[in-house]
């Protein structure tokens, strides 16, 4: 935490205490039954977790470095809670902060910061994930003072209990992607929970279907007029997802380290075995390298010089190293590594989702490759 200011460090320690005391004891239980602990939402809001990047609603002045570290701290205890915060604060609230009018920001952001209003972010579709920039199939048709939305979304976190979903749809008139604030009680809007996931089981992902959903012009994000604006939101959050990946690796490493000191084989703790130490050191090295890259990317964001390729590199690298690390940590535990109560299995499973969402490793690599060569190799 030496990279944080004194005020930021105090808030980070407050967040860590909340997570250790209220989230850690119930994480396995809620993960196993695939339910989200709704009673934690208001206490999470009180820690300042929602809207921390938005000056008008954040509890205290902070940096991108702090926000990244907060994502690490949260994911270190549970990746599902970190993802919930990322959707509410990073994707939904930032969409309004970036793309909304001043009136829209005043209407929605204060209530979202307190957890009174819960949000979701609807971009990914059943047939459009990595190619959302061009392959978006959800349409928006202007009809007087209203817009008519038709289409489907998939993997939309928080959508089963959200009050409002930021829906990204293609305007049939000009072909541009625009953002809309769709309240979930709007006729023609349905959200159905995706069942039987093996990762992020606490996160309530949903399939969304919109059939003739009427949205007033006042609910169109007034400053979100192309996919460039969508990409701005993703750039702001992608680096925090990289920090989440580091947090997952840290959580798995800490559990594995504890286990090696408690578990005895051949008459001594397995921490004294050379091959076990090798796995622990490789894991710690991955974590250390990932923190260094994420820290630099966040500092560049604070300095206003971060570009797409910087956050893309951080996300691709950190999630790849996370995947290696959780596998090594599971290996340390042997057969016990697949049991929830031993502390690694949840991180091992959740890593697979973080590895893929907000841009796969391959897509983020191609973003960096385009910057390096000047040639886009996406298709």
């Amino acid at each position: 935490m030496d990279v944080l200011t004194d005020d930021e460090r105090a808030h980070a320690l407050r967040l860590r205490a909340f997570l250790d005391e209220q989230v850690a004891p119930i994480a396995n239980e809620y993960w196993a039954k695939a339910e989200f602990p709704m009673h934690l939402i208001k206490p999470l809001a009180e820690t300042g977790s929602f809207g921390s990047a938005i000056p008008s609603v954040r509890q205290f002045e902070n940096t991108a470095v702090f926000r990244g570290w907060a994502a690490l701290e949260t994911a270190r205890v549970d990746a599902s809670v970190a993802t919930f915060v990322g959707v509410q604060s990073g994707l939904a609230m930032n969409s309004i902060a970036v793309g909304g009018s001043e009136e829209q920001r005043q209407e929605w952001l204060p209530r979202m910061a307190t957890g009174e209003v819960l949000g979701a972010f609807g971009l990914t579709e059943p047939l459009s994930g990595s190619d959302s920039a061009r392959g978006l199939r959800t349409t928006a048709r202007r009809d007087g003072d209203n817009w008519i939305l038709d289409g489907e979304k998939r993997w939309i976190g928080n959508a089963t209990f959200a009050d409002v979903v930021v829906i990204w749809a293609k305007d049939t008139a000009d072909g541009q992607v625009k953002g809309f604030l769709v309240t979930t009680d709007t006729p023609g809007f349905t959200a159905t929970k995706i069942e039987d996931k093996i990762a992020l089981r606490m996160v309530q992902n949903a399939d969304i279907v919109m059939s003739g959903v009427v949205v007033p012009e006042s609910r169109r994000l007034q400053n979100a007029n192309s996919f460039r604006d969508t990409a701005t939101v993703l750039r702001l959050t992608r680096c925090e997802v990289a920090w989440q990946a580091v947090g997952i690796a840290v959580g798995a490493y800490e559990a594995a380290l504890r286990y090696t000191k408690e578990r005895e084989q051949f008459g001594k703790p397995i921490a004294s075995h050379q091959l076990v130490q090798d796995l622990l050191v490789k894991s710690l090295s991955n974590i250390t390298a990932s923190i260094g890259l994420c820290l630099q990317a966040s500092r560049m964001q604070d300095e206003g010089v971060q570009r797409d390729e910087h956050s893309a590199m951080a996300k691709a690298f950190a999630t790849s190293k996370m995947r290696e690390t959780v596998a090594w940590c599971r290996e340390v535990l042997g057969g016990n590594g697949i049991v929830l109560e031993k502390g690694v299995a949840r991180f091992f499973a959740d890593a697979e989702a973080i590895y893929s969402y907000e841009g796969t490793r391959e897509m983020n690599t191609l973003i960096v490759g385009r910057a390096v060569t000047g040639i886009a190799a996406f298709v």
Side-chain angles (χ1 to χ4, degrees):
M1 289 189 182
D2 291 343
V3 296
L4 305 179
T5 67
D6 290 344
D7 196 23
E8 289 176 336
R9 190 178 302 111
H11 279 82
L13 290 171
R14 176 187 172 197
L15 174 62
R16 179 183 289 182
F18 166 78
L19 294 165
D20 287 343
E21 294 167 9
Q22 298 196 43
V23 178
I26 65 172
N28 285 342
E29 172 193 352
Y30 277 85
W31 192 95
K33 61 185 181 181
E35 294 180 7
F36 191 82
M38 301 296 291
H39 66 282
L40 294 180
I41 293 176
K42 288 298 177 65
L44 261 175
E46 291 170 1
T47 69
S49 293
F50 304 158
S52 57
I54 304 170
S56 63
V57 296
R58 64 189 180 191
Q59 291 187 9
F60 71 105
E61 186 175 350
N62 61 80
T63 62
V65 171
F66 167 80
R67 295 190 293 274
W69 198 270
L72 181 157
E73 290 285 351
T74 308
R76 166 189 159 268
V77 174
D78 184 74
S80 291
V81 173
T83 299
F84 166 79
V85 173
V87 172
Q88 170 79 359
S89 182
L91 292 172
M93 293 182 70
N94 273 344
S95 291
I96 298 171
V98 169
S101 64
E102 181 58 31
E103 292 75 16
Q104 289 170 331
R105 291 192 287 269
Q106 290 179 8
E107 177 183 2
W108 293 98
L109 293 179
R111 294 184 295 153
M112 296 178 79
T114 62
E116 176 189 349
V117 170
L118 300 179
F121 178 89
L123 176 61
T124 302
E125 299 180 351
L127 300 177
S128 177
S130 296
D131 67 341
S132 292
R134 290 186 295 179
L136 213 64
R137 291 167 173 80
T138 298
T139 60
R141 175 174 56 85
R142 185 71 183 260
D143 182 18
D145 292 332
N146 296 317
W147 292 82
I148 312 299
L149 271 56
D150 291 284
E152 300 179 26
K153 299 291 180 180
R154 183 165 174 80
W155 296 116
I156 310 307
N158 301 359
T160 61
F161 54 73
D163 301 295
V164 62
V165 182
V166 178
I167 293 292
W168 299 94
K170 187 170 291 186
D171 186 347
T172 57
D174 62 12
Q176 295 296 322
V177 174
K178 294 178 170 62
F180 299 86
L181 295 167
V182 181
T183 54
T184 53
D185 59 357
T186 304
F189 179 99
T190 60
T192 305
K193 179 183 174 181
I194 297 173
E195 303 283 359
D196 302 326
K197 297 185 301 176
I198 68 165
L200 297 182
R201 288 175 54 80
M202 284 164 58
V203 175
Q204 305 300 290
N205 294 99
D207 285 317
I208 290 176
V209 176
M210 291 166 289
S211 179
V213 171
V214 179
V215 181
E217 165 65 10
S218 61
R219 292 283 174 85
R220 180 180 67 82
L221 292 177
Q222 298 298 301
N223 296 310
N225 297 306
S226 74
F227 192 81
R228 288 181 180 272
D229 301 307
T230 319
T232 298
V233 177
L234 295 174
R235 182 172 63 253
L236 291 172
T237 59
R238 188 169 286 131
C239 196
E240 290 181 24
V241 176
W243 281 101
Q244 286 179 22
V246 182
I248 290 171
V250 170
Y253 169 77
E254 290 178 343
L257 181 60
R258 286 194 301 269
Y259 183 85
T260 65
K261 297 178 181 181
E262 300 165 355
R263 175 71 168 175
E264 291 191 1
Q265 291 287 280
F266 304 104
K268 56 185 178 180
I270 64 172
S272 66
H273 297 168
Q274 291 179 356
L275 293 179
V276 170
Q277 290 190 5
D278 176 65
L279 292 171
L280 292 174
V281 171
K282 289 193 295 186
S283 297
L284 182 58
S285 297
N286 274 352
I287 290 167
T288 304
S290 297
I291 288 176
L293 182 56
C294 290
L295 180 59
Q296 178 62 13
S298 290
R299 283 172 169 162
M300 293 177 75
Q301 185 174 334
D302 284 326
E303 294 165 4
V305 297
Q306 188 197 88
R307 299 190 299 272
D308 285 344
E309 58 265 28
H310 301 132
S311 58
M313 179 182 286
K315 204 275 182 178
F317 182 85
T319 54
S320 295
K321 295 307 176 185
M322 165 200 67
R323 208 181 194 195
E324 284 183 351
T325 301
V326 297
W328 287 332
C329 291
R330 194 224 54 82
E331 185 177 342
V332 166
L333 272 67
N336 285 332
I338 67 170
V339 181
L340 279 176
E341 68 173 311
K342 295 300 182 181
V344 173
R346 179 162 44 86
F347 295 108
F348 178 81
D350 287 344
E352 287 302 295
I354 306 296
Y355 183 71
S356 295
Y357 80 31
E358 283 220 34
T360 63
R361 185 200 64 81
E362 292 81 4
M363 291 303 297
N364 280 305
T365 296
L366 293 179
I367 292 172
V368 180
R370 178 180 59 190
V372 170
T373 66
I375 301 170
F378 293 98
V379 293

